[in-house]
Every structure is written in C-alpha cells, then in structure tokens.
Amino acid sequence: MNKHQFIMLGEIHGTVEVPKLFGDIVCHSVNKNNRNIAVMLELPASLQASLDLYMANDINEDKFLAHPVWSSKWQDGRFSVAMLGLINKLKTIKQQYPQKLDVFLVDLFKNTNNKPKSQYLANNISKHLLGDYQKTLVLTGNYHNRINLQEENSAATILSDFNPFSLTIKAPKGSYWACTGPKPSDCKVNIFNNEQVVKREGLILFEEKKRWHGAYQFKKITFSPPVRP
C-alpha cells in the first residue's frame, strides 16, 4: 500500500479489529513518509472542534465524550470503544509528530440538506485532497468506498479523478455492532458464521473487477460496543 497516495478503507462498523488496523496503517504511513499525512474518519464534522481541543490536550477525555454525538440514540457502531481507541492512538501519533498528521471528520450528524450522503462525504474529503499532503487515509463504511458501480454513486466513484485505492474487509465469522433496522433498538450486536476456515490474515488484491481493489482478510471480527450505550 506504500505506493498509493489516497487509500479508502471500508469497514463494517462496530468492530474491534478494523479501527486497530486503520490505526496501524496510519502509524506505518507516518513513519514511512516525510511530509504530512491526512487522516479522515466518517464521524460528524460537528465534533471537529472538540477533537482538535482533545488532540491538543486542551480538554480531557470526559469533556470530549460529553459532545452529543457520543450519546446519540442512533448507535450504529461508529461511536464505539474501539473508535475512541483509534482516536487516542491518532492523538498519541499527533503529539509525537505534530507536523506530520492532520485528522479531519467528514460526515454529517444529521442530514438536513437532502443531498446524498455520498456527495457530502466526497465534498468534504475532496477539500483536503487538494491540500499539501503526501498521503491521505480515509476510514468509512464499506458502502461508501465502493468502485465499479454502474447505476449509482459512492463517495469513491465521485472522487475517481483522485484515483482512490479502495479496500474492504472480510471475515468468515464473528460479531459486529450495527443497526439492522430503522429504530434505535435495532442497533445491537450482530453475529455471523459462514462456516469457512481462514488460515492467514492479511491483504488480498482482487484480480477481477469488483466493488473494491482488494480486502484485508481477518480470521474473525469482534464487536465493539458504544462508548455511551
């Protein structure tokens, strides 16, 4: 992945493993590159000011978590313990390399302008792609970083001129926290098992034309609950 300047990792929300993987990718990229890295998360832009204060140690974790997004009734897996762990890892990296890492939040809290979410995400991501960054790393749900679509758009297809390298994740079994219906009570632990055996974890590149360029294969994924259940 070192040769790609713009990487979009598409996750299943609400797992332990994917935020950890993304944090490891960011850490590796900061160590391998001499110039700025831009990191973008599919979290509400309304949290950005609090995030900046938290990253700079101007507020503590309790004040950061007092922002309304963390206690939303709609807990779709993005406001998880693992996501907070990722933010804390990014904070540590930022403090070690203050000139090499910028973190941006690129989602809406509530969609009130009737624009497709894919367009809103793409607009916010593209603002930073035009900046002076050597590498850009984006974490979204894997619906938003799909490519090779025929009759619809995703954030990745809208950003195709920037040549995103798009990855999803795969696992034969495990659990994740996500919403499977229209009510807040539909946001819960989901368990699955495809009865397959995976002997090795790691990156897989797809040879044929698919919705992503490749995938990171896990043996198993584990749900991460909301920080504020």
Side-chain angles (χ1 to χ4, degrees):
M1 290 192 292
N2 290 334
K3 66 179 181 179
H4 298 286
Q5 293 183 325
F6 175 25
I7 298 173
M8 297 185 75
L9 177 62
E11 68 165 347
I12 298 173
H13 294 318
T15 72
V16 171
E17 290 78 9
V18 181
K20 181 181 183 304
L21 170 66
F22 188 75
D24 290 343
I25 293 171
V26 173
C27 188
H28 176 80
S29 297
V30 167
N31 286 324
K32 288 289 183 180
N33 291 273
N34 296 322
R35 288 168 41 213
N36 269 14
I37 305 292
V39 167
M40 303 182 211
L41 306 177
E42 189 195 345
L43 293 177
S46 59
L47 184 61
Q48 184 74 56
S50 292
L51 176 70
D52 293 343
L53 291 172
Y54 184 55
M55 288 278 188
N57 275 334
D58 290 332
I59 60 173
N60 61 23
E61 185 175 287
D62 287 341
K63 288 191 175 180
F64 178 57
L65 295 178
H67 193 284
V69 302
W70 293 102
S71 52
S72 168
K73 291 182 179 179
W74 188 254
Q75 289 289 345
D76 62 2
R78 290 178 297 152
F79 308 105
S80 67
V81 172
M83 185 61 74
L84 177 60
L86 169 60
I87 289 172
N88 283 330
K89 183 165 189 172
L90 297 176
K91 178 181 177 182
T92 298
I93 298 171
K94 176 73 172 175
Q95 289 174 349
Q96 290 176 340
Y97 305 98
Q99 305 304 319
K100 293 182 68 174
L101 178 67
D102 291 323
V103 182
F104 304 105
L105 308 181
V106 293
D107 193 20
L108 280 164
F109 185 34
K110 294 181 180 179
N111 191 348
T112 57
N113 59 15
N114 295 320
K115 285 185 179 180
K117 180 169 176 173
S118 57
Q119 185 66 62
Y120 185 87
L121 284 174
N123 288 349
N124 277 351
I125 292 169
S126 66
K127 292 175 186 176
H128 306 297
L129 287 170
L130 297 172
D132 186 26
Y133 293 103
Q134 187 172 4
K135 202 176 194 72
T136 300
L137 304 170
V138 182
L139 177 64
T140 68
N142 61 9
Y143 182 83
H144 302 301
N145 74 325
R146 296 169 301 151
I147 56 174
N148 300 322
L149 303 179
Q150 299 300 318
E151 298 180 357
E152 58 179 326
N153 277 325
S154 69
T157 60
I158 295 171
L159 295 167
S160 60
D161 287 348
F162 294 98
N163 195 27
F165 180 65
S166 182
L167 296 172
T168 187
I169 67 112
K170 296 178 67 176
K173 61 182 178 180
S175 58
Y176 59 98
W177 184 288
C179 302
T180 55
K183 303 187 297 295
S185 59
D186 295 321
C187 301
K188 59 187 186 300
V189 179
N190 297 271
I191 300 172
F192 68 101
N193 189 341
N194 296 334
E195 304 295 338
Q196 296 175 344
V197 176
V198 172
K199 294 183 178 180
R200 188 179 70 86
E201 294 189 332
L203 182 64
I204 302 168
L205 297 180
F206 300 146
E207 294 181 1
E208 65 271 27
K209 199 173 184 180
K210 290 191 175 183
R211 294 287 188 252
W212 303 271
H213 293 109
Y216 191 91
Q217 178 73 66
F218 291 102
K219 292 180 179 179
K220 181 182 178 180
I221 57 174
T222 313
F223 83 92
S224 180
V227 172
R228 296 276 193 258

PDB file of all heavy atoms in Angstrom, residues 65-88:
ATOM      1  N   LEU A  65     -15.941  13.355  25.387  1.00  0.00           N
ATOM      2  CA  LEU A  65     -17.069  12.421  25.273  1.00  0.00           C
ATOM      3  C   LEU A  65     -18.399  13.051  25.689  1.00  0.00           C
ATOM      4  O   LEU A  65     -19.451  12.431  25.515  1.00  0.00           O
ATOM      5  CB  LEU A  65     -16.801  11.181  26.118  1.00  0.00           C
ATOM      6  CG  LEU A  65     -15.621  10.313  25.670  1.00  0.00           C
ATOM      7  CD1 LEU A  65     -15.429   9.144  26.631  1.00  0.00           C
ATOM      8  CD2 LEU A  65     -15.829   9.813  24.247  1.00  0.00           C
ATOM      9  N   ALA A  66     -18.356  14.279  26.215  1.00  0.00           N
ATOM     10  CA  ALA A  66     -19.596  14.981  26.564  1.00  0.00           C
ATOM     11  C   ALA A  66     -20.300  15.540  25.333  1.00  0.00           C
ATOM     12  O   ALA A  66     -21.466  15.948  25.417  1.00  0.00           O
ATOM     13  CB  ALA A  66     -19.290  16.109  27.552  1.00  0.00           C
ATOM     14  N   HIS A  67     -19.623  15.535  24.187  1.00  0.00           N
ATOM     15  CA  HIS A  67     -20.278  16.004  22.954  1.00  0.00           C
ATOM     16  C   HIS A  67     -21.476  15.108  22.639  1.00  0.00           C
ATOM     17  O   HIS A  67     -21.408  13.886  22.800  1.00  0.00           O
ATOM     18  CB  HIS A  67     -19.272  15.979  21.795  1.00  0.00           C
ATOM     19  CG  HIS A  67     -19.750  16.725  20.592  1.00  0.00           C
ATOM     20  ND1 HIS A  67     -20.692  16.225  19.728  1.00  0.00           N
ATOM     21  CD2 HIS A  67     -19.411  17.948  20.100  1.00  0.00           C
ATOM     22  CE1 HIS A  67     -20.919  17.088  18.759  1.00  0.00           C
ATOM     23  NE2 HIS A  67     -20.148  18.146  18.962  1.00  0.00           N
ATOM     24  N   PRO A  68     -22.588  15.695  22.165  1.00  0.00           N
ATOM     25  CA  PRO A  68     -23.822  14.923  21.953  1.00  0.00           C
ATOM     26  C   PRO A  68     -23.693  13.731  21.010  1.00  0.00           C
ATOM     27  O   PRO A  68     -24.468  12.777  21.126  1.00  0.00           O
ATOM     28  CB  PRO A  68     -24.789  15.959  21.370  1.00  0.00           C
ATOM     29  CG  PRO A  68     -24.285  17.279  21.846  1.00  0.00           C
ATOM     30  CD  PRO A  68     -22.803  17.140  21.938  1.00  0.00           C
ATOM     31  N   VAL A  69     -22.747  13.744  20.070  1.00  0.00           N
ATOM     32  CA  VAL A  69     -22.682  12.632  19.118  1.00  0.00           C
ATOM     33  C   VAL A  69     -22.399  11.302  19.809  1.00  0.00           C
ATOM     34  O   VAL A  69     -22.834  10.237  19.344  1.00  0.00           O
ATOM     35  CB  VAL A  69     -21.633  12.878  18.008  1.00  0.00           C
ATOM     36  CG1 VAL A  69     -21.930  14.147  17.250  1.00  0.00           C
ATOM     37  CG2 VAL A  69     -20.216  12.880  18.546  1.00  0.00           C
ATOM     38  N   TRP A  70     -21.675  11.352  20.914  1.00  0.00           N
ATOM     39  CA  TRP A  70     -21.310  10.108  21.599  1.00  0.00           C
ATOM     40  C   TRP A  70     -22.502   9.464  22.304  1.00  0.00           C
ATOM     41  O   TRP A  70     -22.514   8.245  22.522  1.00  0.00           O
ATOM     42  CB  TRP A  70     -20.188  10.360  22.602  1.00  0.00           C
ATOM     43  CG  TRP A  70     -18.897  10.729  21.940  1.00  0.00           C
ATOM     44  CD1 TRP A  70     -18.365  11.983  21.838  1.00  0.00           C
ATOM     45  CD2 TRP A  70     -17.985   9.850  21.281  1.00  0.00           C
ATOM     46  NE1 TRP A  70     -17.180  11.941  21.151  1.00  0.00           N
ATOM     47  CE2 TRP A  70     -16.919  10.644  20.788  1.00  0.00           C
ATOM     48  CE3 TRP A  70     -17.957   8.476  21.049  1.00  0.00           C
ATOM     49  CZ2 TRP A  70     -15.836  10.109  20.094  1.00  0.00           C
ATOM     50  CZ3 TRP A  70     -16.883   7.930  20.355  1.00  0.00           C
ATOM     51  CH2 TRP A  70     -15.841   8.744  19.880  1.00  0.00           C
ATOM     52  N   SER A  71     -23.493  10.247  22.660  1.00  0.00           N
ATOM     53  CA  SER A  71     -24.661   9.717  23.368  1.00  0.00           C
ATOM     54  C   SER A  71     -25.909   9.710  22.489  1.00  0.00           C
ATOM     55  O   SER A  71     -27.032   9.654  22.985  1.00  0.00           O
ATOM     56  CB  SER A  71     -24.911  10.513  24.647  1.00  0.00           C
ATOM     57  OG  SER A  71     -24.972  11.899  24.384  1.00  0.00           O
ATOM     58  N   SER A  72     -25.725   9.748  21.177  1.00  0.00           N
ATOM     59  CA  SER A  72     -26.856   9.685  20.254  1.00  0.00           C
ATOM     60  C   SER A  72     -27.642   8.391  20.449  1.00  0.00           C
ATOM     61  O   SER A  72     -27.076   7.333  20.748  1.00  0.00           O
ATOM     62  CB  SER A  72     -26.339   9.765  18.814  1.00  0.00           C
ATOM     63  OG  SER A  72     -27.366   9.433  17.894  1.00  0.00           O
ATOM     64  N   LYS A  73     -28.955   8.455  20.271  1.00  0.00           N
ATOM     65  CA  LYS A  73     -29.779   7.237  20.352  1.00  0.00           C
ATOM     66  C   LYS A  73     -29.448   6.276  19.210  1.00  0.00           C
ATOM     67  O   LYS A  73     -29.657   5.076  19.327  1.00  0.00           O
ATOM     68  CB  LYS A  73     -31.257   7.604  20.309  1.00  0.00           C
ATOM     69  CG  LYS A  73     -31.754   8.334  21.548  1.00  0.00           C
ATOM     70  CD  LYS A  73     -33.241   8.632  21.451  1.00  0.00           C
ATOM     71  CE  LYS A  73     -33.736   9.336  22.708  1.00  0.00           C
ATOM     72  NZ  LYS A  73     -35.186   9.650  22.612  1.00  0.00           N
ATOM     73  N   TRP A  74     -28.964   6.818  18.089  1.00  0.00           N
ATOM     74  CA  TRP A  74     -28.658   6.009  16.911  1.00  0.00           C
ATOM     75  C   TRP A  74     -27.197   5.555  17.001  1.00  0.00           C
ATOM     76  O   TRP A  74     -26.298   6.185  16.482  1.00  0.00           O
ATOM     77  CB  TRP A  74     -28.913   6.805  15.637  1.00  0.00           C
ATOM     78  CG  TRP A  74     -28.803   5.995  14.380  1.00  0.00           C
ATOM     79  CD1 TRP A  74     -27.787   6.035  13.475  1.00  0.00           C
ATOM     80  CD2 TRP A  74     -29.730   5.026  13.894  1.00  0.00           C
ATOM     81  NE1 TRP A  74     -28.018   5.143  12.453  1.00  0.00           N
ATOM     82  CE2 TRP A  74     -29.209   4.507  12.679  1.00  0.00           C
ATOM     83  CE3 TRP A  74     -30.953   4.531  14.361  1.00  0.00           C
ATOM     84  CZ2 TRP A  74     -29.861   3.534  11.934  1.00  0.00           C
ATOM     85  CZ3 TRP A  74     -31.605   3.560  13.610  1.00  0.00           C
ATOM     86  CH2 TRP A  74     -31.058   3.079  12.411  1.00  0.00           C
ATOM     87  N   GLN A  75     -26.973   4.445  17.659  1.00  0.00           N
ATOM     88  CA  GLN A  75     -25.618   3.930  17.873  1.00  0.00           C
ATOM     89  C   GLN A  75     -25.322   2.884  16.802  1.00  0.00           C
ATOM     90  O   GLN A  75     -25.564   1.686  16.987  1.00  0.00           O
ATOM     91  CB  GLN A  75     -25.493   3.343  19.276  1.00  0.00           C
ATOM     92  CG  GLN A  75     -25.506   4.382  20.387  1.00  0.00           C
ATOM     93  CD  GLN A  75     -24.230   5.217  20.415  1.00  0.00           C
ATOM     94  OE1 GLN A  75     -23.215   4.867  19.808  1.00  0.00           O
ATOM     95  NE2 GLN A  75     -24.276   6.337  21.120  1.00  0.00           N
ATOM     96  N   ASP A  76     -24.790   3.345  15.678  1.00  0.00           N
ATOM     97  CA  ASP A  76     -24.604   2.470  14.511  1.00  0.00           C
ATOM     98  C   ASP A  76     -23.231   1.794  14.463  1.00  0.00           C
ATOM     99  O   ASP A  76     -22.868   1.197  13.457  1.00  0.00           O
ATOM    100  CB  ASP A  76     -24.849   3.234  13.219  1.00  0.00           C
ATOM    101  CG  ASP A  76     -23.873   4.398  13.027  1.00  0.00           C
ATOM    102  OD1 ASP A  76     -22.981   4.596  13.883  1.00  0.00           O
ATOM    103  OD2 ASP A  76     -23.999   5.110  12.013  1.00  0.00           O
ATOM    104  N   GLY A  77     -22.463   1.911  15.533  1.00  0.00           N
ATOM    105  CA  GLY A  77     -21.162   1.263  15.585  1.00  0.00           C
ATOM    106  C   GLY A  77     -19.985   2.194  15.419  1.00  0.00           C
ATOM    107  O   GLY A  77     -18.844   1.815  15.699  1.00  0.00           O
ATOM    108  N   ARG A  78     -20.235   3.416  14.975  1.00  0.00           N
ATOM    109  CA  ARG A  78     -19.121   4.340  14.746  1.00  0.00           C
ATOM    110  C   ARG A  78     -18.654   5.035  16.016  1.00  0.00           C
ATOM    111  O   ARG A  78     -17.530   5.542  16.071  1.00  0.00           O
ATOM    112  CB  ARG A  78     -19.520   5.387  13.695  1.00  0.00           C
ATOM    113  CG  ARG A  78     -19.654   4.819  12.298  1.00  0.00           C
ATOM    114  CD  ARG A  78     -20.084   5.875  11.303  1.00  0.00           C
ATOM    115  NE  ARG A  78     -21.408   6.386  11.637  1.00  0.00           N
ATOM    116  CZ  ARG A  78     -21.833   7.615  11.333  1.00  0.00           C
ATOM    117  NH1 ARG A  78     -21.030   8.466  10.729  1.00  0.00           N
ATOM    118  NH2 ARG A  78     -23.054   7.990  11.640  1.00  0.00           N
ATOM    119  N   PHE A  79     -19.499   5.081  17.028  1.00  0.00           N
ATOM    120  CA  PHE A  79     -19.148   5.766  18.274  1.00  0.00           C
ATOM    121  C   PHE A  79     -18.784   4.729  19.333  1.00  0.00           C
ATOM    122  O   PHE A  79     -19.254   4.759  20.461  1.00  0.00           O
ATOM    123  CB  PHE A  79     -20.311   6.653  18.727  1.00  0.00           C
ATOM    124  CG  PHE A  79     -20.785   7.579  17.635  1.00  0.00           C
ATOM    125  CD1 PHE A  79     -21.975   7.318  16.960  1.00  0.00           C
ATOM    126  CD2 PHE A  79     -20.027   8.662  17.250  1.00  0.00           C
ATOM    127  CE1 PHE A  79     -22.403   8.150  15.944  1.00  0.00           C
ATOM    128  CE2 PHE A  79     -20.445   9.497  16.228  1.00  0.00           C
ATOM    129  CZ  PHE A  79     -21.638   9.244  15.567  1.00  0.00           C
ATOM    130  N   SER A  80     -17.919   3.834  18.938  1.00  0.00           N
ATOM    131  CA  SER A  80     -17.609   2.648  19.742  1.00  0.00           C
ATOM    132  C   SER A  80     -16.382   2.861  20.624  1.00  0.00           C
ATOM    133  O   SER A  80     -15.615   3.824  20.458  1.00  0.00           O
ATOM    134  CB  SER A  80     -17.354   1.456  18.819  1.00  0.00           C
ATOM    135  OG  SER A  80     -16.162   1.663  18.070  1.00  0.00           O
ATOM    136  N   VAL A  81     -16.195   1.914  21.532  1.00  0.00           N
ATOM    137  CA  VAL A  81     -14.989   1.894  22.359  1.00  0.00           C
ATOM    138  C   VAL A  81     -13.748   1.794  21.471  1.00  0.00           C
ATOM    139  O   VAL A  81     -12.739   2.466  21.706  1.00  0.00           O
ATOM    140  CB  VAL A  81     -15.048   0.707  23.349  1.00  0.00           C
ATOM    141  CG1 VAL A  81     -13.726   0.553  24.089  1.00  0.00           C
ATOM    142  CG2 VAL A  81     -16.202   0.891  24.333  1.00  0.00           C
ATOM    143  N   ALA A  82     -13.835   0.967  20.416  1.00  0.00           N
ATOM    144  CA  ALA A  82     -12.689   0.813  19.513  1.00  0.00           C
ATOM    145  C   ALA A  82     -12.402   2.091  18.729  1.00  0.00           C
ATOM    146  O   ALA A  82     -11.240   2.415  18.469  1.00  0.00           O
ATOM    147  CB  ALA A  82     -12.930  -0.344  18.556  1.00  0.00           C
ATOM    148  N   MET A  83     -13.462   2.823  18.333  1.00  0.00           N
ATOM    149  CA  MET A  83     -13.245   4.087  17.626  1.00  0.00           C
ATOM    150  C   MET A  83     -12.580   5.110  18.539  1.00  0.00           C
ATOM    151  O   MET A  83     -11.685   5.851  18.107  1.00  0.00           O
ATOM    152  CB  MET A  83     -14.570   4.642  17.097  1.00  0.00           C
ATOM    153  CG  MET A  83     -14.418   5.899  16.250  1.00  0.00           C
ATOM    154  SD  MET A  83     -13.418   5.649  14.754  1.00  0.00           S
ATOM    155  CE  MET A  83     -14.591   4.728  13.735  1.00  0.00           C
ATOM    156  N   LEU A  84     -12.990   5.143  19.800  1.00  0.00           N
ATOM    157  CA  LEU A  84     -12.317   6.020  20.757  1.00  0.00           C
ATOM    158  C   LEU A  84     -10.859   5.598  20.910  1.00  0.00           C
ATOM    159  O   LEU A  84      -9.967   6.448  21.003  1.00  0.00           O
ATOM    160  CB  LEU A  84     -13.029   5.985  22.105  1.00  0.00           C
ATOM    161  CG  LEU A  84     -12.383   6.817  23.226  1.00  0.00           C
ATOM    162  CD1 LEU A  84     -12.312   8.291  22.859  1.00  0.00           C
ATOM    163  CD2 LEU A  84     -13.143   6.622  24.537  1.00  0.00           C
ATOM    164  N   GLY A  85     -10.601   4.292  20.909  1.00  0.00           N
ATOM    165  CA  GLY A  85      -9.224   3.807  20.960  1.00  0.00           C
ATOM    166  C   GLY A  85      -8.412   4.270  19.774  1.00  0.00           C
ATOM    167  O   GLY A  85      -7.237   4.638  19.902  1.00  0.00           O
ATOM    168  N   LEU A  86      -9.030   4.269  18.584  1.00  0.00           N
ATOM    169  CA  LEU A  86      -8.356   4.771  17.386  1.00  0.00           C
ATOM    170  C   LEU A  86      -8.035   6.254  17.541  1.00  0.00           C
ATOM    171  O   LEU A  86      -6.920   6.700  17.230  1.00  0.00           O
ATOM    172  CB  LEU A  86      -9.230   4.543  16.147  1.00  0.00           C
ATOM    173  CG  LEU A  86      -8.778   5.252  14.868  1.00  0.00           C
ATOM    174  CD1 LEU A  86      -7.378   4.813  14.439  1.00  0.00           C
ATOM    175  CD2 LEU A  86      -9.792   5.005  13.743  1.00  0.00           C
ATOM    176  N   ILE A  87      -9.000   7.030  18.001  1.00  0.00           N
ATOM    177  CA  ILE A  87      -8.773   8.464  18.192  1.00  0.00           C
ATOM    178  C   ILE A  87      -7.630   8.696  19.172  1.00  0.00           C
ATOM    179  O   ILE A  87      -6.767   9.564  18.961  1.00  0.00           O
ATOM    180  CB  ILE A  87     -10.071   9.148  18.663  1.00  0.00           C
ATOM    181  CG1 ILE A  87     -11.077   9.190  17.496  1.00  0.00           C
ATOM    182  CG2 ILE A  87      -9.801  10.559  19.188  1.00  0.00           C
ATOM    183  CD1 ILE A  87     -12.460   9.661  17.902  1.00  0.00           C
ATOM    184  N   ASN A  88      -7.581   7.901  20.235  1.00  0.00           N
ATOM    185  CA  ASN A  88      -6.490   8.055  21.204  1.00  0.00           C
ATOM    186  C   ASN A  88      -5.138   7.677  20.592  1.00  0.00           C
ATOM    187  O   ASN A  88      -4.110   8.292  20.909  1.00  0.00           O
ATOM    188  CB  ASN A  88      -6.773   7.218  22.448  1.00  0.00           C
ATOM    189  CG  ASN A  88      -7.800   7.872  23.358  1.00  0.00           C
ATOM    190  OD1 ASN A  88      -7.898   9.100  23.409  1.00  0.00           O
ATOM    191  ND2 ASN A  88      -8.571   7.077  24.074  1.00  0.00           N
TER     192      ASN A  88
END
